[in-house]
Structures are given as C-alpha cells and as structure tokens.
Amino acid sequence: MRKRLLSLLAAVTLIVSACAVAPPVQPSPEPDPTLVPTFTPLLLPRPVPTAALLVDPKQERHDETPVASTAPTPSATASSQPAHVSDTPAPDADSPKKVNCKKVKCVALTFDDGPSIYTKQILATLKAKDVKATFFMWGKMVSNSPKIAKQVAKEGHEIGNHAWSHRLLNKLGSAEINREITRSADMIYKHTGVKTNLFRPPYGAFNANVTASAQKTGNSMVLWDVDTVDWKTKRTAKTVKSAVNDSKRGSIILVHDVYATTADAVAGIIDGLHDKGFTFVTVSELIGKPSPGEKYFKG
Ligand code: NI
C-alpha cells in the first residue's frame, strides 16, 4: 500500500515537472537579432555647410583641395604681431582713385581661396582693365605662393583674410578660431606687409564664436550678395552672366581665383558691368571704414 502510494506520488511529480519544463507557448520577447532589420544611414546629399550654418543660402564652393597638406609649424610670429587695427590697409599706393560710391554705381569684385596659379592671369586682366579688386586669401595658400600674394598687394589690390586652412570655423572652439584667423593674418602680413582687417569666414559659415573672434582680432566679416557659383558650374560664360546679371549697386561679387574658367571670366565680368555703368572698387572703398565684428553683405 505504502509502495503504491509512493509510486503514485512519483508519477504525479513527474507530470507536474513535465508541465513545468514544457516549452513556452508564446515566443520569447527577446527579438531574434537575425530578424531585426538593419537601418542603413540615409545617404542624403550633404551640402557643406548646411544651410542652417550659412549666412547665405547660396553656398560657396570648396570641393577642391588646392593645397599641399604639409602643416607648417606654428607661426613664431603668431603672438608677436601687433593687434590688428581697424585702419584700412593701403596696399602699395598705385595712384588710387578716389571713388564716391554715393555718386556712382559701385561694385566690389572679390576673389577667394588664392593665391593660385590662376591669380597671375587675373592680375594681368585687372591691370589691363584698370580695375582694383579684393582677394581673400587663406594663409596656407599664401605660404605656398608668397610671391603671387606679394604681387597682388603690390598692384594695389586689397587683401582680406580667409582663415588659415579653410575649415568650417563654426565647428571649432574659440581658441582654434582665433588661431585660424591670426595665423593667416600673420602669414599675409609676412609676405605682403598688409595688416588685414577684412575677414571672410570659409564657406561663409559663422556663429557667435566666429563673430566674436573676428571682433577680437579687429576684423569685420565680409560676406557677399552675388554668388556666381563659379566653383560649381566651372563655366566661363555662366560665371560672367551671373556676375553681370545679378549685380546691383553696392554688390559684393564672389568668385574664386583657383579656376581657369574663372580667370577667363574676369574680362567679361568687367566689360559687362562697365557697360551697365558700374564702377569697380575694393571692399573697403565700398563699405567705408569697416567696423570689427560687423557683417557686410554689400555696400
Ligand atoms: Ni573659400
């Protein structure tokens, strides 16, 4: 009797155990990693910089990298230069004409990203047409082509600062922004004798830190209102057409002296705007005495 009871108990226990270890009816809540779809990042075209970071929805170029990436050692003169004063640089008094932009229709032609192998051709055209322009140079380019930079100054053109290495300054901290500006300014000063007080942030991208650095270093921020998009089209006729058709009184025209197609466009731009009654001046002639930290899109 006792034995039978024990067997029964054992059988019941076995049944209960079997139920306990039965596989769950419901699937495990843990997802099977092989079944989870993987998300591929959206490969959207990314204009650099994003529109939100730009001062001008028409973006400046810069897909090319025209510079050898030998990083020069920090400039020994970086901290020894006097503070950048707000007096207008007077590049080689080559009988500068006084133009009154209140009386005549002025425009300023500005060249970015040089000096390059195309700058000399542009200088020859400007000389032949008796036009003064403004060149926003980046320090590394000046370091690579110091003689051309010097020639630009010697021929009476204005020189502005386009930072040292053409980075997106709004992505950098204040110390790095300052360094980008002052290092370039030092290099320009070293080879041209010009103390720059006009600064154009690469890509036209800036934020409060960039503006503060410009102000701190005695620079005004010079942007533009006519973007020829020469970097994108690389078409001489289109560059000429954009500059001539889009310019208004007081316009600051953006082109780049790093393209053969732009170098070839300069004569057409000048002739076309002369025909429409415009007079070419430098940026500081157009905007008057620049104020540090102030932004100028046109005169
Ligand atoms: Ni640029």
Side-chain angles (χ1 to χ4, degrees), residues 110-230:
T110 66
F111 294 91
D112 278 19
D113 296 356
S116 84
I117 55 171
Y118 304 108
T119 308
K120 280 196 168 191
Q121 181 189 333
I122 290 168
L123 288 175
T125 304
L126 294 172
K127 184 180 271 185
K129 302 284 183 187
D130 194 22
V131 162
K132 295 291 183 276
T134 304
F135 290 77
F136 287 92
M137 301 177 176
W138 39 299
K140 266 191 178 181
M141 295 296 272
V142 175
S143 173
N144 286 352
S145 306
K147 286 184 181 175
I148 302 175
K150 190 173 183 178
Q151 187 183 343
V152 171
K154 194 166 181 290
E155 296 191 3
H157 302 288
E158 185 158 51
I159 295 181
N161 183 348
H162 199 38
W164 173 257
S165 57
H166 214 280
R167 298 166 72 189
L168 276 168
L169 299 189
N170 51 3
K171 303 285 186 188
L172 305 182
S174 293
E176 277 187 293
I177 298 168
N178 281 335
R179 186 166 153 76
E180 279 281 324
I181 295 175
T182 57
R183 197 173 175 194
S184 180
D186 289 343
M187 186 58 69
I188 291 169
Y189 180 74
K190 179 181 174 184
H191 293 294
T192 68
V194 174
K195 285 182 191 172
T196 47
N197 62 350
L198 303 176
F199 175 66
R200 175 170 283 169
Y203 310 96
F206 63 82
N207 58 12
N209 285 342
V210 176
T211 304
S213 288
Q215 184 167 18
K216 186 180 172 184
T217 53
N219 285 284
S220 60
M221 307 253 285
V222 179
L223 289 309
W224 60 86
D225 67 325
V226 175
D227 187 352
T228 60
V229 207
D230 59 336

Side-chain angles (χ1 to χ4, degrees), residues 105-108 225 248-252 278 286 297-299:
K105 293 199 301 181
C106 291
V107 287
D225 67 325
K248 301 175 185 68
R249 184 175 194 149
S251 279
I252 297 175
F278 287 99
L286 186 72
F297 295 87
K298 58 191 181 70

Side-chain angles (χ1 to χ4, degrees), residues 60-106:
E60 201 182 355
R61 54 119 272 190
H62 312 288
D63 48 347
E64 93 292 359
T65 313
V67 166
S69 61
T70 336
T73 51
S75 167
T77 60
S79 58
S80 61
Q81 288 297 328
H84 298 278
V85 290
S86 61
D87 56 322
T88 302
D92 197 58
D94 186 17
S95 62
K97 296 166 292 184
K98 287 284 179 189
V99 178
N100 187 345
C101 293
K102 287 179 182 169
K103 293 186 177 175
V104 298
K105 293 199 301 181
C106 291

